[in-house]
Amino acid sequence: METRKQQGRKQLVIILLALLAVNFAGYYFFKRIDLTHDKRYTLSQTSLNIIESVQEPLYIDVFLEGEFPGEFKRLQDETRQMLEEFHAYNPNIIFQFVNPLEDETQREATMRQFYEKGMTPINVTVEDKGKSSQEVVFPWAVATYNDKSTKIQLLKNMMGATTAEKVVSSVQHLEYALAEALSKITTAKEKKIAVIKGNGEMPDRLMADFIKQLRETYYIGPFTLDSVAKNPQNALKFLKKYDLAIISKPREKFTEEEKEVLDQYIVNGGKTLWMIDAVHIEMDSLYNQNGTTLAFPNDLGLNDMFFKYGVRILPDLVKDEMATPIKLASGSQGSESQYQDYTWKFAPFAYPDPSEYKGASHPIVKNMSGIRMDFANGIDTLKNNIKKTILLQSSRYSKRVGTPVEVKLDMVAEEVSQKDYDGQGDIPMAVLLEGKFRSNYENRLLPFKDPAYQTVGKPGKMIVISDGDIAKNQLDDKMQPLELGYDKWTGQLYDNKGFMMNCVNYLLDDNGLINIRSKDVDLPMLDTQKVHDNYTMAQLVTVGLPIAILGLFGLLFTYLRKRTYSK
């Protein structure tokens, strides 16, 4: 009897020591196991680096709380689990789920505050046993660290997509959205961006939202090329201090001296983002009594530079059947005009589809929704030593329209057939170039003497977009900038801002964050119609069957116990 007691004590001590050893090892050797087949909770090294950099409490308020349909409940659960993963790696990351409309007396004031901060809520229909009701959902979160805060969009806006499709895409985008937000408020600014001025570029207020977004992560300032005329060597010296130069919709021709400054900046490894209109035409010029305007070539003097680097922007217009809508007057009812949406074929809807072209799998555009273009031009790629990746292209049902040409609003009513586009579609409209660029002035007389002139230098990158308005935001009634990508006339929100930010991040070598976008998540969703049709059977299987099995097990256990101990 004593031996049994000693053995029992010994086993207890061994178990306690083993538990202490496991806990001790777990404290020093942290490891989480992701059992999902798509590894959706396995954080990338970039995310882990950002999480580890949080040295003080970082608070995240998630507004996905309340009664939601199944799709939003799934988004809520996925967001919670992703944040739990963040918190597990760093307890300084603290989050809570908040219902902003919990206080009904403050409902209107709360809604107004969210609108003013750019966090637009959405109305959803909740179906329950054939009954439907309307609920307001705020698919947003706010992260705060010390005196900095940033908003996080949890639900991606995808034109024409169902709620389930939006949720799946949003879950794929979730780690990127959270990691990017944490990076903004925890990482000190390092890179510098120059917005080139002096050749009739886009006014600041028309790209204010893009600039505002850039300022959250980078230093940004104007750089005027007017100084090139006085002292080109000094202008080049100052431009080289910037990591990226943005040239947005210039209208005036570049001088040879200005081109040499830009050329030597590029050859020496400077990154450039070009948004160029090779055709002069504006949408506003169509809203006249005749509804017509003339589109004609816009010679900026940059053709030889682009040709040397490996691309050519053609002075034509891309006409695409897969286009975005515009709102036009269709008649009148009484004293009020009636408006209707029409497909405007000179505003291509660029949707990066990996099944259509290889470049759509690039981290810059992968998992993105559609981007709105406006009077875009075609781009030809030329053979040289530079690697070229087509980021955006028109659909297969598109073609090039040469200029000069008269453009009319009544083109929205024209009828076309598939034959009109045979062999003409898939026109590049945004191209990434990477490699060692050779100088445009190689074997040519230099516009100005530069002792540091180089024919070929450091590896560099540039993105050429044949649409000067891709980063243009609209203005509201008070002439204040709206969100980039939002069309106030049709109420559509396109992914222009996401695309532009990805371009900048990639050019500035912030590739870690962009590569998170490449993660593919397989998120099966319930078929709500099947659930409704088989509601009773689903209840029996999910609720009744487990209870029946448990009851049967209890009866069997009681019977066997009685039979064993009754002897």
Side-chain angles (χ1 to χ4, degrees):
M1 189 73 176
E2 190 65 28
T3 305
R4 285 187 178 180
K5 287 184 178 179
Q6 289 177 350
Q7 289 178 344
R9 291 193 192 100
K10 188 182 290 185
Q11 289 176 350
L12 181 61
V13 171
I14 291 172
I15 291 171
L16 288 173
L17 288 174
L19 289 173
L20 286 171
V22 169
N23 278 276
F24 184 79
Y27 180 80
Y28 288 98
F29 302 100
F30 177 76
K31 180 67 177 176
R32 290 172 69 84
I33 301 174
D34 186 355
L35 298 178
T36 57
H37 73 281
D38 52 13
K39 302 299 179 185
R40 78 184 63 154
Y41 304 120
T42 301
L43 300 179
S44 67
Q45 189 58 48
T46 301
S47 296
L48 293 175
N49 293 341
I50 295 171
I51 291 169
E52 289 173 4
S53 69
V54 179
Q55 301 299 322
E56 298 180 29
L58 187 153
Y59 300 97
I60 302 177
D61 294 320
V62 185
F63 302 108
L64 273 176
E65 187 67 27
E67 293 295 325
F68 305 139
E71 295 92 344
F72 284 95
K73 190 69 177 174
R74 194 65 183 271
L75 180 60
Q76 180 192 51
D77 292 341
E78 294 290 337
T79 304
R80 189 187 305 276
Q81 292 184 46
M82 184 63 71
L83 288 173
E84 286 174 353
E85 200 71 17
F86 278 46
H87 177 74
Y89 281 99
N90 189 340
N92 281 329
I93 298 175
I94 304 163
F95 68 92
Q96 64 174 346
F97 280 70
V98 179
N99 184 355
L101 298 180
E102 189 172 10
D103 186 355
E104 287 291 335
T105 61
Q106 297 294 319
R107 185 183 181 93
E108 293 299 324
T110 302
M111 296 271 285
R112 186 167 57 253
Q113 288 177 2
F114 273 83
Y115 274 107
E116 289 173 353
K117 293 177 181 178
M119 296 188 289
T120 308
I122 59 174
N123 291 305
V124 297
T125 303
V126 180
E127 298 282 351
D128 185 20
K129 299 180 184 179
K131 297 180 180 179
S132 60
S133 59
Q134 291 290 321
E135 294 289 341
V136 177
V137 178
F138 293 87
W140 295 90
V142 172
T144 305
Y145 186 69
N146 293 330
D147 59 343
K148 293 182 179 180
S149 66
T150 186
K151 60 184 180 182
I152 308 169
Q153 186 175 1
L154 300 175
L155 182 69
K156 288 188 66 179
N157 190 332
M158 298 172 62
M159 183 177 173
T162 64
T163 302
E165 290 170 339
K166 290 179 182 178
V167 168
V168 171
S169 180
S170 300
V171 171
Q172 290 177 333
H173 188 257
L174 198 55
E175 183 186 345
Y176 172 80
L178 294 171
E180 183 194 34
L182 266 60
S183 177
K184 283 181 182 178
I185 57 178
T186 60
T187 306
K189 296 180 182 180
E190 294 180 355
K191 305 290 180 65
K192 297 179 181 179
I193 299 175
V195 180
I196 302 298
K197 301 290 184 181
N199 292 81
E201 285 81 6
M202 181 89 71
D204 286 347
R205 67 172 183 170
L206 295 182
M207 52 187 301
D209 191 56
F210 180 40
I211 292 174
K212 177 184 175 184
Q213 193 76 10
L214 289 174
R215 280 206 176 103
E216 293 185 4
T217 311
Y218 306 106
Y219 292 108
I220 186 169
F223 186 91
T224 305
L225 288 179
D226 292 349
S227 58
V228 172
K230 297 178 181 178
N231 193 333
Q233 292 92 345
N234 199 45
L236 176 57
K237 177 183 174 182
F238 280 103
L239 183 59
K240 286 180 179 178
K241 294 181 179 180
Y242 290 90
D243 301 285
L244 170 68
I246 295 177
I247 304 95
S248 178
K249 197 175 182 175
R251 294 298 192 86
E252 299 171 10
K253 195 169 184 176
F254 287 77
T255 66
E256 291 298 323
E257 289 79 12
E258 291 171 341
K259 287 163 59 178
E260 184 181 344
V261 168
L262 293 172
D263 174 80
Q264 285 302 290
Y265 172 76
I266 292 166
V267 169
N268 282 277
K271 316 301 191 301
T272 49
L273 176 57
W274 301 85
M275 292 167 273
I276 301 295
D277 279 342
V279 174
H280 182 83
I281 182 173
E282 296 293 335
M283 197 67 201
D284 291 344
S285 62
L286 278 165
Y287 296 119
N288 54 48
Q289 188 174 2
N290 299 320
T292 64
T293 191
L294 182 67
F296 54 91
N298 184 26
D299 182 14
L300 298 170
L302 298 172
N303 294 339
D304 56 341
M305 279 184 66
F306 289 136
F307 189 88
K308 185 70 175 184
Y309 302 149
V311 294
R312 178 169 50 203
I313 304 178
L314 301 174
D316 54 26
L317 296 176
V318 176
K319 189 177 183 181
D320 198 337
E321 289 296 316
M322 186 175 174
T324 57
I326 58 171
K327 195 175 287 291
L328 298 174
S330 58
S332 59
Q333 185 174 358
S335 59
E336 295 185 358
S337 298
Q338 298 297 306
Y339 292 89
Q340 183 177 339
D341 288 349
Y342 293 92
T343 300
W344 182 239
K345 299 174 185 178
F346 290 111
F349 180 67
Y351 185 81
D353 185 352
S355 65
E356 295 292 330
Y357 61 103
K358 291 182 180 179
S361 298
H362 194 278
I364 292 178
V365 292
K366 186 172 182 181
N367 294 331
M368 295 206 76
S369 52
I371 294 124
R372 186 182 191 274
M373 313 288 279
D374 190 22
F375 293 116
N377 319 123
I379 298 178
D380 279 348
T381 56
L382 311 170
K383 288 185 178 181
N384 61 2
N385 64 317
I386 300 297
K387 178 185 176 184
K388 304 168 192 69
T389 305
I390 297 172
L391 300 176
L392 299 177
Q393 69 177 32
S394 63
S395 76
R396 66 183 64 179
Y397 302 111
S398 61
K399 63 180 180 181
R400 293 169 171 170
V401 178
T403 59
V405 66
E406 189 177 41
V407 178
K408 303 178 181 180
L409 280 178
D410 61 14
M411 287 179 172
V412 296
E414 69 180 6
E415 296 182 2
V416 296
S417 67
Q418 182 176 335
K419 293 180 180 179
D420 295 331
Y421 299 103
D422 285 347
Q424 300 188 66
D426 301 328
I427 304 166
M429 298 182 292
V431 180
L432 165 68
L433 297 93
E434 300 173 281
K436 291 185 177 181
F437 295 95
R438 301 192 70 87
S439 172
N440 178 49
Y441 294 95
E442 182 181 13
N443 300 322
R444 290 174 56 186
L445 186 65
L446 294 177
F448 66 87
K449 291 183 179 181
D450 180 13
Y453 171 81
Q454 293 186 36
T455 302
V456 61
K458 303 175 183 177
K461 303 176 188 175
M462 72 168 65
I463 294 176
V464 179
I465 306 170
S466 60
D467 177 15
D469 293 317
I470 194 169
K472 179 181 178 180
N473 55 251
Q474 296 181 357
L475 305 174
D476 63 15
D477 296 338
K478 298 179 180 178
M479 302 304 290
Q480 295 301 307
L482 296 170
E483 183 176 1
L484 174 57
Y486 178 70
D487 182 7
K488 65 181 179 180
W489 307 112
T490 61
Q492 299 287 350
L493 179 62
Y494 303 97
D495 216 353
N496 291 46
K497 181 157 67 173
F499 172 70
M500 296 307 304
M501 290 304 301
N502 284 352
C503 288
V504 171
N505 292 340
Y506 186 84
L507 290 172
L508 290 176
D509 298 317
D510 292 341
N511 299 348
L513 274 174
I514 293 181
N515 288 333
I516 301 175
R517 297 179 61 93
S518 301
K519 178 186 286 189
D520 290 315
V521 176
D522 182 16
L523 192 66
M525 305 294 292
L526 284 175
D527 188 325
T528 54
Q529 186 60 44
K530 283 187 178 180
V531 171
H532 177 72
D533 294 341
N534 302 282
Y535 191 80
T536 304
M537 181 59 69
Q539 279 188 320
L540 289 173
V541 172
T542 58
V543 180
L545 187 60
I547 293 175
I549 293 173
L550 187 62
L552 183 62
F553 176 79
L555 291 173
L556 182 61
F557 178 79
T558 304
Y559 169 73
L560 293 174
R561 189 171 183 279
K562 284 183 178 180
R563 194 176 73 170
T564 301
Y565 292 101
S566 63
K567 294 180 181 179

